Amino acid sequence: MYDLMRKLPIGIQTFEDIRRKNYLYVDKTALVWRMANMGKPYFLSRPRRFGKSLLLSTFESYFLGKKELLEYPVLHIDLNAEKYDKPEKLNEILSNHLTQWELKYGKGIDERTLSSRFGGVIRRACEQTGQQVVVLVDEYDKPLLQAINNLELLDDYRQTLKAFYGVLKSADRYLRFVFLTGVTKFSQVSVFSDLNQLNDISMKPPYATVCGITRQELVDTFTPELKNLSEANQLTFEETLQKMAATYDGYHFCEFAEGVFNPFSVLNSFDGCKFDSYWFQTGTPTFLVELLQKSEYDLRTLLSGIEVPVSSFAEYKMDVNNPIPLIYQSGYLTIKDYDREFQNYLLDFPNDEVRYGFMNFLVPFYTPMKNNDQGFYIGKFIQELRTGDYEAFLTRLEAFFAGIPYELNDQTERHYQVIFYLVFKLMGQFTEAEVRSSRGRADAVVKTPKYIYVFEFKLNGTAEEALKQIDEKGYLIPYKTDHREIVKAGVEFSAESWNLSRWLVEINQ
């Protein structure tokens, strides 16, 4: 094993700590210098735990004189720490910040509202120091996200933040630099309506890698850690890089820019010397699943990649019954391709950590499987197909559907199509499996070392018709030259019982 004494900054969000205590870090200071000297008001949207807080801390160190002889007054607002479940919670945390600054710069006797106090602090800080003020806001939208399903509370927070952030425009002559970060950019909650001069760099190519780790940065900075990881998992160095890329890479924040690795998962994989779902486990996307269910969004489209117009990225509109922009901005989907002619983006899961983490999280909402038995079911399905025991697989699948409780059974065809999608997509984590919904392709194909299974499911049709469709549509043609045994299965699915009712299987040598 290689040197394990190098310090990984897991959970460290203060740039000064990283530098003074000799933690490893990927140097982004060139981009920090560029932004600090080429503009003033910035906004950056990135998923949680992607380095936004550390980026703001780097700006703070820069403007406090850690890099220059000139020291600016810095007002740093962190909205991460509070649980926003009551109107007064937001008022309290903003007031607490203001009180600390007022102890240093004073308070006007007529400043009673949060916004007037904020404006007064900015003006006095500039006048007393002789330097323009730096304002850094970390997770500006945290209160809005926590209140997303409470419209009354959301409106209250919207009005408070609209007035508070609006001060940054009226106080422009006192400001040297402004940087706001968050997960989303909300529209029609009017938070930014008074702050319309913000430079939103969330999807601009020069800043696409300001948070996250590029492949080259990974190799240049963490080669000893990569070697430790490869030895611990009995992989070659190149195999480790490929596994890291498949598991943690793939985030694209601009259609023209290089992809990046999730920094939180990368550091934790080095620390634990294993591949795991580190980022996904730090937060549960319950509110996103609830939005999907409320909007009756077809999950099959989401799970196979979805094409959306460029307008989906400009902002998240609360009054539109479409959860996709928020799912993208939260980091569960990312840009995978771009159609220049029609200006449409292809969104998909960035990597295996998010893909299988998200699907596993969805399962209890749509099937009888609980979190603790998903692995059992999927494992049994795969074992049976690997050994050629297709009868056991189909029987288990029948028992699986029979176990769906009434409250999960909404008696719609789409619901059961989604369940098929989830089951086969989850099998893809361990074997080559794909499931389709478009015409002209088999419903599902599973490839194991010895067998290729081609499934066709018929709702209120016959198993004979399903087999005939496999032959007539040429579903087997792509596998004719394959050395493996081809198994085709025609399955009847009854709308009365909402279950498999009969199946026929034929083997093609």
Side-chain angles (χ1 to χ4, degrees):
M1 298 291 283
Y2 292 81
D3 180 16
L4 292 174
M5 297 304 293
R6 298 185 355 142
K7 298 168 66 175
L8 300 170
I10 298 174
I12 308 298
Q13 301 182 46
T14 305
F15 182 71
E16 186 173 357
D17 273 359
I18 287 177
R19 297 288 287 134
R20 289 188 182 278
K21 298 177 183 178
N22 201 31
Y23 285 99
L24 282 174
Y25 74 102
V26 177
D27 189 5
K28 305 284 187 177
T29 52
L31 275 172
V32 168
W33 183 91
R34 173 177 178 164
M35 285 184 277
N37 289 276
M38 295 185 66
K40 180 188 288 189
Y42 290 95
F43 171 75
L44 176 68
S45 168
R46 285 292 182 269
R48 58 185 170 80
R49 296 189 178 274
F50 238 86
K52 300 189 296 296
S53 297
L54 179 58
L55 177 63
L56 288 192
S57 177
T58 307
F59 278 118
E60 185 173 21
S61 292
Y62 179 90
F63 284 109
L64 283 176
K66 300 300 190 291
K67 182 160 183 159
E68 296 180 338
L69 295 177
L70 196 62
E71 181 176 338
Y72 295 91
V74 176
L75 307 181
H76 192 163
I77 305 170
D78 184 357
L79 297 183
N80 265 307
E82 188 59 76
K83 180 180 181 182
Y84 300 97
D85 55 358
K86 299 176 182 177
E88 57 267 26
K89 292 291 188 180
L90 177 57
N91 292 341
E92 287 172 0
I93 195 168
L94 293 177
S95 184
N96 286 341
H97 278 94
L98 290 166
T99 298
Q100 295 302 312
W101 301 329
E102 287 165 344
L103 290 174
K104 185 173 184 179
Y105 299 112
K107 179 181 179 181
I109 58 174
D110 58 345
E111 295 170 4
R112 296 182 176 86
T113 66
L114 294 172
S115 55
S116 64
R117 292 170 63 190
F118 190 28
V121 164
I122 292 173
R123 176 177 54 81
R124 284 188 297 277
C126 179
E127 292 172 347
Q128 292 174 23
T129 63
Q131 302 296 338
Q132 289 178 301
V133 178
V134 173
V135 176
L136 307 173
V137 183
D138 196 4
E139 303 290 3
Y140 91 95
D141 57 347
K142 189 69 173 286
L144 301 173
L145 286 172
Q146 289 194 6
I148 198 167
N149 289 318
N150 184 335
L151 294 182
E152 183 178 353
L153 186 59
L154 181 67
D155 186 63
D156 188 282
Y157 288 162
R158 175 192 66 188
Q159 297 297 337
T160 299
L161 292 176
K162 176 180 182 293
F164 192 80
Y165 295 137
V167 171
L168 297 174
K169 183 173 185 178
S170 60
D172 181 71
R173 64 186 180 277
Y174 302 114
L175 296 170
R176 164 65 176 83
F177 186 77
V178 175
F179 202 105
L180 291 87
T181 72
V183 171
T184 64
K185 184 176 181 182
F186 281 88
S187 168
Q188 303 202 3
V189 290
S190 304
V191 169
F192 289 138
S193 61
D194 293 336
L195 193 57
N196 51 18
Q197 83 274 31
L198 272 178
N199 180 9
D200 184 356
I201 62 173
S202 303
M203 296 185 67
K204 292 187 175 180
Y207 312 100
T209 62
V210 68
C211 290
I213 301 172
T214 67
R215 184 183 179 94
Q216 192 61 53
E217 288 170 339
L218 183 75
V219 174
D220 290 346
T221 308
F222 299 107
T223 288
E225 285 71 29
L226 286 165
K227 291 179 178 178
N228 281 328
L229 188 62
S230 65
E231 289 190 8
N233 291 272
Q234 298 181 341
L235 300 171
T236 66
F237 186 82
E238 187 57 39
E239 288 171 341
T240 300
L241 274 179
Q242 292 173 1
K243 179 73 171 176
M244 289 288 286
T247 311
Y248 306 126
D249 194 8
Y251 293 89
H252 292 85
F253 299 112
C254 172
E255 63 272 24
F256 309 119
E258 184 178 3
V260 292
F261 288 74
N262 184 317
F264 183 81
S265 291
V266 165
L267 293 176
N268 277 279
S269 68
F270 291 152
D271 187 57
C273 278
K274 66 178 182 179
F275 302 94
D276 207 343
S277 299
Y278 300 103
W279 177 82
F280 195 92
Q281 291 171 2
T282 62
T284 56
T286 303
F287 75 100
L288 295 178
V289 176
E290 291 173 350
L291 285 175
L292 283 167
Q293 292 181 314
K294 287 179 181 178
S295 66
E296 297 184 352
Y297 199 87
D298 190 346
L299 270 180
R300 294 171 298 164
T301 304
L302 175 65
L303 298 179
S304 297
I306 177 173
E307 195 170 5
V308 298
V310 66
S311 58
S312 294
F313 293 89
E315 52 211 8
Y316 179 66
K317 299 180 179 179
M318 294 295 295
D319 62 342
V320 176
N321 197 20
N322 179 14
I324 298 303
L326 187 54
I327 294 175
Y328 162 78
Q329 292 171 344
S330 299
Y332 296 99
L333 294 175
T334 195
I335 299 170
K336 289 299 184 181
D337 203 357
Y338 179 66
D339 187 321
R340 293 175 183 267
E341 180 179 4
F342 298 104
Q343 293 187 314
N344 288 331
Y345 292 90
L346 176 64
L347 303 184
D348 205 345
F349 297 111
N351 49 50
D352 286 348
E353 177 188 15
V354 180
R355 176 179 294 106
Y356 295 113
F358 194 80
M359 286 194 290
N360 274 299
F361 187 80
L362 284 173
V363 166
F365 291 87
Y366 290 87
T367 78
M369 282 197 289
K370 304 302 180 186
N371 288 323
N372 59 352
D373 58 14
Q374 291 170 26
F376 172 79
Y377 268 103
I378 300 301
K380 288 294 183 181
F381 284 146
I382 292 171
Q383 289 172 4
E384 288 157 355
L385 292 181
R386 282 176 177 170
T387 60
D389 195 351
Y390 48 81
E391 284 291 336
F393 168 79
L394 290 166
T395 300
R396 186 180 300 279
L397 193 60
E398 180 185 30
F400 172 75
F401 276 94
I404 297 177
Y406 180 79
E407 59 269 21
L408 286 178
N409 185 350
D410 59 7
Q411 299 294 308
T412 66
E413 180 180 355
R414 178 188 290 181
H415 182 87
Y416 286 91
Q417 290 171 335
V418 166
I419 295 175
F420 273 116
Y421 245 61
L422 281 172
V423 169
F424 281 97
K425 287 286 186 180
L426 283 170
M427 288 170 59
Q429 186 175 5
F430 306 99
T431 190
E432 192 174 352
E434 56 186 21
V435 56
R436 307 287 187 184
S437 62
S438 59
R439 298 180 63 184
R441 299 182 183 181
D443 285 332
V445 175
V446 180
K447 301 175 184 178
T448 70
K450 294 183 179 180
Y451 305 95
I452 296 177
Y453 296 90
V454 179
F455 294 94
E456 186 66 28
F457 297 92
K458 282 290 183 183
L459 179 66
N460 289 332
T462 67
E464 288 82 1
E465 290 171 346
L467 287 176
K468 183 179 179 181
Q469 181 171 326
I470 292 174
D471 292 332
E472 291 182 347
K473 296 288 186 178
Y475 295 161
L476 302 185
I477 292 175
Y479 317 112
K480 288 294 186 180
T481 59
D482 198 287
H483 69 279
R484 287 169 287 190
E485 195 171 274
I486 300 175
V487 181
K488 57 182 182 179
V491 183
E492 297 176 16
F493 195 87
S494 170
E496 294 181 0
S497 63
W498 293 105
N499 203 338
L500 282 66
S501 57
R502 179 171 168 264
W503 56 79
L504 291 174
V505 176
E506 291 182 0
I507 300 175
N508 287 48
Q509 301 290 342

